[in-house]
Amino acid sequence: MPERIEIEAVHKLYPGGNQALTDVSLRIEPGELVVLLGPSGSGKTTLLRCLAGIERITSGSIRIGERVVAAGRAHHPPEQRNLAMVFQDYALWPHLVARDNVAFALRRSGMGRAERVTAAAAMLARVGLSSLGDRYPNQLSGGEQQRVALARALVGETGLLLCDEPLSNLDADLRERLRIEISSLVRAAGATTVYITHDQAEAFALADRVGVLERGRLVQIGPPEEIYAAPATAFVARFTGLSGTLRGRLLGAAHAAGERVRVTLPTSSTGHLADIDATAMMPLRSGAAVSVMLRPTAVRMV
Ligand code: ADP
Ligand code: MG
């Protein structure tokens, strides 16, 4: 059964004073696929590790399904959280063949050895590796190893799947193909999924909702179209595919975020460029000096 996730006001301070997460709150519906997007160092892995129970939170709380798994000093270890993880570096057992790597995830399932191996072989077939079950990890390509890791994560049918940049080590072509496979396998499995990446194209292709992390804060969460059309901050706009910025002056005032405004661009040696209609991101007084951020798909010449 897919789990509901509730992250409430989570702070994470590493020993030495590094504040990696600040006041992160996030509710994820059962079966939803949420992608957390942010640059390197923004706290993505830390948040995932806190969810997994590998890292302790400093304050706040985390609920998985009906259980509070972290709050104050209470802390459930990973094996009590009904979840599976996929990592950037695959993390397969080098001394086990692919099928046994997958079967290993079922060691606490109560199944007998033969049943575990059968289930593992079936899962390997679903990720397109039915003929490679007898290979050791070092006899598999990066993409094949990541498919084994995915099979291992899915075979236990846990309620929550956590993916930490699973495609970052693969080349662009394979990354795009596997992205589509992961999306359909994960949706077919029905698990609630938290997937982190620094790649905006990957985030937009996969997510039901995208959350953007900036220096440990969740600055926006919403459907991909909303993040793209109405970024909450200049940082979100820049990080999700901005094509350029123009400086100008506001004609008339904006009383609230979201209002349409007209901006006049300064006259240069080549003459007056244009007036631009844009959306205000905050209240602005008439005549204010502003930056207009451009999305390639949003520009229309009139
Ligand atoms: P991301 O996955 O987005 O690249 P991380 O969660 O790995 O970001 O890191 C967030 C911040 O926390 C960074 O400033 C990083 O240096 C710091 N950090 C990560 N792990 C530790 C740790 N074990 N001890 C101290 N600081 C850490
Ligand atoms: Mg990371």
Side-chain angles (χ1 to χ4, degrees):
M1 283 288 287
E3 303 273 26
R4 167 176 286 110
I5 311 302
E6 285 170 273
I7 300 170
E8 268 295 317
V10 163
H11 292 252
K12 173 64 185 178
L13 187 67
Y14 280 113
N18 194 349
Q19 177 94 30
L21 296 174
T22 304
D23 199 19
V24 173
S25 294
L26 172 63
R27 188 189 165 109
I28 305 174
E29 297 303 321
E32 200 180 10
L33 199 172
V34 166
V35 177
L36 296 174
L37 175 67
S40 176
S42 58
K44 303 183 297 298
T45 295
T46 300
L47 183 53
L48 213 67
R49 290 169 64 90
C50 288
L51 253 177
I54 301 165
E55 211 56 78
R56 279 173 184 269
I57 60 176
T58 306
S59 63
S61 67
I62 298 176
R63 185 185 276 269
I64 298 178
E66 297 304 309
R67 287 161 301 138
V68 176
V69 296
R73 247 176 250 141
H75 174 88
H76 293 199
E79 61 273 17
Q80 288 175 16
R81 295 191 181 197
N82 184 27
L83 55 84
M85 287 188 82
V86 181
F87 303 91
Q88 182 175 339
D89 60 4
Y90 325 133
L92 299 175
W93 297 106
H95 62 290
L96 295 180
V97 297
R99 192 184 307 106
D100 291 340
N101 260 285
V102 178
F104 189 79
L106 297 169
R107 67 197 179 283
R108 279 194 293 262
S109 65
M111 291 181 185
R113 157 98 193 144
E115 209 182 338
R116 292 201 299 267
V117 171
T118 306
M123 197 64 228
L124 278 178
R126 283 189 45 201
V127 300
L129 293 181
S130 46
S131 60
L132 302 182
D134 292 324
R135 298 244 189 117
Y136 287 92
N138 69 3
Q139 299 170 319
L140 296 167
S141 72
E144 288 161 353
Q145 287 184 63
Q146 197 53 299
R147 282 198 180 86
V148 175
L150 189 64
R152 180 182 58 184
L154 293 174
V155 74
E157 298 179 347
T158 56
L160 175 60
L161 178 66
L162 305 177
C163 303
D164 189 348
E165 309 216 24
L167 305 181
S168 294
N169 280 349
L170 308 174
D171 40 320
D173 177 47
L174 185 59
R175 207 154 61 215
E176 281 194 22
R177 267 190 294 140
L178 257 185
R179 182 198 287 169
I180 296 163
E181 283 182 36
I182 285 190
S183 168
S184 56
L185 283 164
V186 160
R187 284 173 207 281
T192 305
T193 304
V194 183
Y195 184 109
I196 67 182
T197 182
H198 63 270
D199 179 336
Q200 54 106 347
E202 193 170 307
F204 284 9
L206 279 170
D208 294 324
R209 283 189 299 155
V210 175
V212 184
L213 279 168
E214 176 185 6
R215 284 190 280 124
R217 287 180 188 273
L218 186 65
V219 288
Q220 189 171 9
I221 171 103
E225 315 79 59
E226 189 179 303
I227 303 281
Y228 194 78
T233 67
F235 169 84
V236 174
R238 273 198 301 276
F239 201 67
T240 54
L242 197 68
S243 73
T245 306
L246 295 171
R247 297 196 166 278
R249 200 163 286 284
L250 203 65
L251 300 172
H255 301 98
E259 259 178 45
R260 295 296 284 172
V261 290
R262 176 153 289 194
V263 177
T264 186
L265 301 176
T267 308
S268 71
S269 53
T270 54
H272 181 69
L273 205 50
D275 289 347
I276 294 183
D277 290 325
T279 306
M281 293 177 72
M282 62 190 84
L284 293 163
R285 60 177 174 74
S286 180
V290 294
S291 295
V292 182
M293 298 187 292
L294 303 176
R295 291 282 198 211
T297 51
V299 176
R300 211 155 34 89
M301 309 293 265
V302 288

